[in-house]
Amino acid sequence: MFNFLKKYFFSNSKNEIVLNLKICVFATIFFYFICWRLSSLEFGITNLDAYILVKNLYSPLFDNSYFEFFQYTLLLWCSIIALKITTKSKFRFARPIPIIYLFLFLDDFFRIHDHLVSNFSNYLKTKYSLKDEILLSPGFEEFLYWGFILFLIIIIFIIFSRNSNPESKEFLKVNSVFFICLGFFGLIIDEFNNLLYLLGDNTFLKILSFSLFTLEEFGEVSTLAVAFIWLVNFSSNKMIKD
């Protein structure tokens, strides 16, 4: 049995793409095993007792659906492959990239920004009585949160790009495009859709809202799919070898 496993599962493949996929698959199994144990301890994971209709799990528009779970997995895989790439000395100045992918994964998977934004909103409403102020209009807290994250990312990029080599700069640039696309679908489209609720409730607005939700979800997963495929292909390219 051991020889069988060693031969077919644990041997190092000569194909770099197969090796990358093996790392992603086993790392994902390990991570979700840890999440399972944390959930049994009721530590670090929220809404453990939430009731979810099974039919909703098949909808790309429903939180925690299979569709959204696949997005989380792609984010995790992007962080793993990007980390593998940036261990090469040629790409040492691009090491923020896997960290950003990992942050986006953890933020979405554990819904960190949802809790922070909600707590921040409740704090302002309670302490400063700003419930009906324009600053707390729909989406303000989301833009404030992601604006702060964007500011940190820009600062980090400036620091790492200052003395960066051409290979790292190119890697940073391409992945920045992926991040911009994710921000467009995940924030701009999402918040514009939220504003539609202020305009009323008619058939046209419902159709438009459904279309925007669909565009948001498929736009995000398509961006992540392209990013993952690009990273896997890039990692297997002989030009990145030291």
Side-chain angles (χ1 to χ4, degrees):
M1 178 61 73
F2 176 76
N3 290 333
F4 176 83
L5 293 175
K6 181 180 179 181
K7 180 179 180 180
Y8 291 102
F9 294 100
F10 298 107
S11 61
N12 288 327
S13 173
K14 295 181 180 179
N15 189 318
E16 188 76 15
I17 293 178
V18 174
L19 180 60
N20 287 332
L21 291 176
K22 184 171 71 173
I23 294 172
C24 289
V25 169
F26 282 102
T28 302
I29 293 173
F30 175 75
F31 175 79
Y32 290 130
F33 173 81
I34 297 299
C35 287
W36 169 53
R37 301 315 303 155
L38 289 176
S39 66
S40 65
L41 298 174
E42 298 188 2
F43 175 78
I45 301 177
T46 60
N47 300 323
L48 291 174
D49 298 321
Y51 176 76
I52 300 176
L53 290 173
V54 173
K55 66 178 181 179
N56 288 336
L57 295 175
Y58 296 96
S59 171
L61 310 183
F62 185 77
D63 289 340
N64 299 316
S65 66
Y66 297 131
F67 193 87
E68 192 170 76
F69 180 77
F70 182 58
Q71 294 183 40
Y72 300 157
T73 302
L74 285 174
L75 270 173
L76 178 60
W77 288 0
C78 284
S79 68
I80 293 172
I81 301 300
L83 177 62
K84 184 172 180 289
I85 292 171
T86 54
T87 57
K88 305 293 183 180
S89 60
K90 285 183 180 180
F91 301 95
R92 62 185 181 276
F93 294 104
R95 285 171 184 167
I97 296 299
I99 297 175
I100 294 172
Y101 277 118
L102 182 61
F103 168 77
L104 293 176
F105 165 72
L106 294 175
D107 182 83
D108 276 346
F109 189 85
F110 293 107
R111 302 196 174 278
I112 295 174
H113 75 276
D114 289 337
H115 298 293
L116 289 178
V117 166
S118 177
N119 292 337
F120 178 69
S121 177
N122 292 333
Y123 171 78
L124 290 180
K125 291 174 183 178
T126 302
K127 188 172 182 63
Y128 299 104
S129 300
L130 294 174
K131 184 174 182 179
D132 299 319
E133 295 292 333
I134 189 172
L135 289 178
L136 289 179
S137 60
F140 169 75
E141 300 96 332
E142 286 280 344
F143 278 104
L144 187 63
Y145 174 82
W146 289 111
F148 176 72
I149 299 298
L150 177 61
F151 173 77
L152 292 180
I153 291 175
I154 292 175
I155 295 298
I156 292 172
F157 273 25
I158 291 175
I159 294 174
F160 276 80
S161 299
R162 185 171 299 171
N163 299 312
S164 179
N165 55 341
E167 291 86 356
S168 294
K169 287 182 179 179
E170 182 67 18
F171 191 72
L172 286 169
K173 182 170 65 175
V174 174
N175 283 277
S176 295
V177 174
F178 296 140
F179 297 145
I180 290 172
C181 290
L182 288 175
F184 172 76
F185 291 113
L187 182 61
I188 304 299
I189 297 297
D190 182 57
E191 294 306 324
F192 179 75
N193 199 10
N194 290 334
L195 290 175
L196 293 179
Y197 291 106
L198 301 177
L199 302 180
D201 185 19
N202 55 56
T203 302
F204 172 76
L205 290 177
K206 288 181 179 179
I207 295 175
L208 180 59
S209 178
F210 177 81
S211 300
L212 289 175
F213 267 128
T214 304
L215 175 63
E216 175 195 346
E217 295 299 330
F218 280 91
E220 284 183 312
V221 75
S222 297
T223 299
L224 290 173
V226 171
F228 174 66
I229 293 171
W230 183 86
L231 286 166
V232 170
N233 183 63
F234 188 86
S235 178
S236 64
N237 194 323
K238 292 182 179 180
M239 293 181 63
I240 78 166
K241 308 299 182 183
D242 289 330

